[in-house]
Amino acid sequence: MLPIPPEELDGLPSSAFVAKSFTGAKLVKGFNHLGAAILATDPIVEGGHRVVFLSSDDEDAIAPVADLAKKLGFAPVKLGKLNEGGALVHARGRTWGHLIFQDLFKKQQ
């Protein structure tokens, strides 16, 4: 599969393009920076909880996804809007966000 050139997505990250394409929808980008094999393992790591990053242009939409992440045993971390925080976990072609594939965990305080 060939990567989609950025100009075909109006220069937007794919999640922002999808959000723009579905007017009125509330899109949350999450659970996508780790591979399925890691997400399928126990989210409790060394006494802490595996981190999942969440981004959305709608702040109210993040709360139920963060609650779901917690119920599943993960530690949700809000990264901000799609074009900001979402870009940190975005991968396309040779452009990789700084947090893509980072398997981090958060210990309880």
Side-chain angles (χ1 to χ4, degrees):
M1 183 168 135
L2 296 174
I4 299 170
E7 59 274 6
E8 289 186 25
L9 298 177
D10 296 334
L12 299 170
S14 58
S15 54
F17 184 83
V18 169
K20 179 180 162 186
S21 299
F22 292 92
T23 306
K26 296 181 179 186
L27 184 127
V28 177
K29 179 176 184 146
F31 294 90
N32 67 316
H33 73 284
L34 295 172
I38 291 174
L39 286 172
T41 62
D42 189 348
I44 298 175
V45 180
E46 297 182 30
H49 294 262
R50 181 167 277 120
V51 168
V52 291
F53 298 115
L54 306 176
S55 295
S56 180
D57 290 342
D58 185 326
E59 182 65 27
D60 293 336
I62 291 179
V65 178
D67 288 342
L68 173 63
K70 287 178 187 175
K71 286 178 184 171
L72 294 173
F74 293 94
V77 174
K78 297 177 189 176
L79 294 179
K81 297 190 177 290
L82 294 172
N83 67 344
E84 301 162 346
L88 294 173
V89 293
H90 179 75
R92 179 174 50 214
R94 294 183 184 160
T95 304
W96 292 66
H98 296 292
L99 295 177
I100 194 80
F101 303 127
Q102 295 297 313
D103 186 11
L104 306 173
F105 62 94
K106 180 179 178 182
K107 294 215 175 190
Q108 300 300 324
Q109 297 176 5

